[in-house]
Amino acid sequence: MNELPWIEIISAVVVLAGGGGIAGLLVARRRRRTQDHGGGQATVEREPEVAVEPGTVVEPEVSTSPTREAPVETPAPTAGRLVRLRDRLARSGSPLGARLLSVLSRDSLTEDDWDEIEEELLLADVGAGPTTELLEALRTKVRVLGVREPAAVRDLLRSELVALLEPALDRTLRTEPTTAADGTHLPAVTLVVGVNGTGKTTTVGKLARVLVADGRSVVLGAADTFRAAAADQLTTWGDRVGVPTVRSDREGADPASVAFEAVARGRDEKIDVVLVDTAGRLQNKAGLMDELGKIVRVSSKVAAPSEVLLVLDATTGQNGLSQARVFAEVAGVTGIVLTKLDGTAKGGIVVQVQRELGVPVKLIGLGEGPDDLAPFDVEEFVDGILG
């Protein structure tokens, strides 16, 4: 009988000592031969299965690494926000600023000068009607008062622009919760509407920051269920300031049901304001009317909307206004949020928007930062235009 190689003898002793018996010895010999004659290819051994007594519960391996959540941000206070952003407006190159003042300060104003002023106002998107009103008021006061000094001209132009922007309009946001007759807490509900591409969802996120900065508790409703990224985008904005978002788990879900759930959560958790982001599709006016009408009807079963804010991109000019008219007619708009007033936007669009739609501008955006949305103040806005 051939003698066993010494390595197999040691392996056999180990296997036999461990209770493996003859079967274990044969497995050890086969593994040894595979390593010696397998063309250099090593066999990977599997971890042995552990026998478990019946009834024993095996706990899964759990990572003990803590989950790190992003810190909640504190939004900048809204008080004085427009003052801090005024320099952006002054740098926007608005024709309502330095160029008008330079013309009005000339020693004598000819018809060509007045034509130039009219052209500048129209290019600034003030609109034909308001431009005519402003020109007539300026002509009369310049002729009667004989104003020529730069400071006096600026004061005159400032007073006329302030009057044109109708400072008496109510621009407050209705964000006060109410109480039903039976004592149930009812949140203030704000629907945000507008054409897709105007920055509507981003504006909802910024508006949440405005409300949080003012000490309000907020719930977001992602009722724009037809854009896959809208709910994710809104959730991210809410997470930054510790605001929850009610959303559907599938694309194309019923927007009205999402709005209802958001308002119901606001009621149950005694939230101050529920902000509902709606879809901005304009394939046909009837479909838009049906969708927004259903959202209003269904959410009103809990609490009726106290605000319907229309988001309008200030850079779109007349195209944006024509689209905005549809929403104003369909949704019962109570206020305008005018975005992108920095850069290429013309400050005069504020005048035209209010005249065309018959509702006040309540908020304006002057940049891309998270806290660049500010409550609209007529006098601060005019001072920003005039520089």
Side-chain angles (χ1 to χ4, degrees):
M1 180 181 296
N2 296 331
E3 294 183 358
L4 290 173
W6 64 269
I7 187 66
E8 291 195 14
I9 295 174
I10 295 175
S11 299
V13 171
V14 172
V15 171
L16 291 172
I22 299 299
L25 175 61
L26 294 176
V27 170
R29 292 190 67 177
R30 186 179 300 117
R31 184 178 300 126
R32 175 63 182 171
R33 289 172 181 168
T34 302
Q35 291 173 346
D36 288 344
H37 306 290
Q41 182 179 1
T43 302
V44 178
E45 298 184 27
R46 295 182 179 180
E47 292 291 331
E49 296 184 1
V50 180
V52 180
E53 295 293 332
T56 303
V57 178
V58 180
E59 294 291 339
E61 184 177 351
V62 180
S63 172
T64 57
S65 301
T67 308
R68 298 185 64 183
E69 297 183 357
V72 175
E73 300 174 10
T74 302
T78 57
R81 224 183 238 201
L82 191 54
V83 178
R84 296 193 299 273
L85 300 173
R86 187 192 297 172
D87 62 328
R88 293 186 190 175
L89 194 59
R91 291 196 305 267
S92 68
S94 170
L96 291 178
R99 282 177 282 178
L100 284 182
L101 289 172
S102 66
V103 175
L104 287 169
S105 299
R106 292 170 185 170
D107 291 336
S108 60
L109 292 173
T110 66
E111 284 302 317
D112 289 341
D113 293 329
W114 287 111
D115 289 343
E116 184 179 346
I117 293 173
E118 180 180 21
E119 183 180 344
E120 296 289 1
L121 290 168
L122 291 174
L123 288 173
D125 286 337
V126 173
T131 293
T132 301
E133 292 178 25
L134 183 58
L135 279 174
E136 290 178 354
L138 288 173
R139 275 177 177 267
T140 301
K141 292 189 176 181
V142 167
R143 183 175 61 253
V144 172
L145 300 175
V147 177
R148 287 295 180 270
E149 296 78 13
V153 169
R154 186 188 187 283
D155 290 342
L156 174 60
L157 183 56
R158 181 184 187 278
S159 64
E160 293 302 324
L161 287 173
V162 168
L164 203 61
L165 287 168
E166 303 179 64
L169 290 176
D170 182 11
R171 303 177 193 277
T172 57
L173 289 175
R174 300 179 184 90
T175 57
E176 290 285 347
T178 57
T179 304
D182 61 357
T184 302
H185 171 89
L186 298 178
V189 179
T190 297
L191 300 185
V192 182
V193 301
V195 181
N196 286 339
T198 58
K200 178 172 51 63
T201 300
T202 297
T203 299
V204 176
K206 292 181 180 181
L207 180 53
R209 296 178 70 91
V210 168
L211 295 171
V212 169
D214 288 341
R216 300 288 187 195
S217 56
V218 181
V219 162
L220 301 176
D224 185 356
T225 59
F226 299 95
R227 290 192 304 125
D232 293 337
Q233 183 182 2
L234 196 62
T235 301
T236 300
W237 277 102
D239 289 345
R240 289 176 181 173
V241 288
V243 169
T245 301
V246 175
R247 55 181 294 178
S248 173
D249 57 357
R250 62 183 179 86
E251 185 178 345
D254 182 18
S257 65
V258 176
F260 177 84
E261 291 297 330
V263 178
R265 179 167 179 173
R267 175 200 60 197
D268 298 342
E269 298 183 6
K270 294 182 170 52
I271 299 296
D272 294 329
V273 188
V274 177
L275 294 178
V276 180
D277 180 25
T278 64
R281 300 168 302 150
L282 270 178
Q283 284 86 346
N284 62 80
K285 184 176 174 182
L288 175 66
M289 184 179 296
D290 291 343
E291 185 174 296
L292 292 176
K294 185 179 179 182
I295 289 176
V296 172
R297 287 195 311 274
V298 172
S299 61
S300 294
K301 294 179 180 179
V302 181
S306 54
E307 289 277 5
V308 180
L309 298 178
L310 172 63
V311 178
L312 186 61
D313 184 339
T315 64
T316 57
Q318 287 293 334
N319 289 335
L321 277 177
S322 62
Q323 296 170 340
R325 290 188 195 101
V326 176
F327 282 94
E329 180 182 342
V330 168
V333 173
T334 61
I336 306 295
V337 183
L338 201 57
T339 65
K340 304 179 186 178
L341 266 170
D342 60 327
T344 59
K346 316 296 195 306
I349 191 69
V350 178
V351 178
Q352 191 172 189
V353 163
Q354 291 188 161
R355 291 293 183 90
E356 292 282 342
L357 304 181
V359 291
V361 173
K362 295 192 173 185
L363 295 158
I364 60 172
L366 297 173
E368 299 298 328
D371 292 324
D372 70 1
L373 191 68
F376 183 69
D377 181 280
V378 171
E379 295 192 0
E380 293 290 352
F381 179 73
V382 171
D383 287 340
I385 289 175
L386 296 179

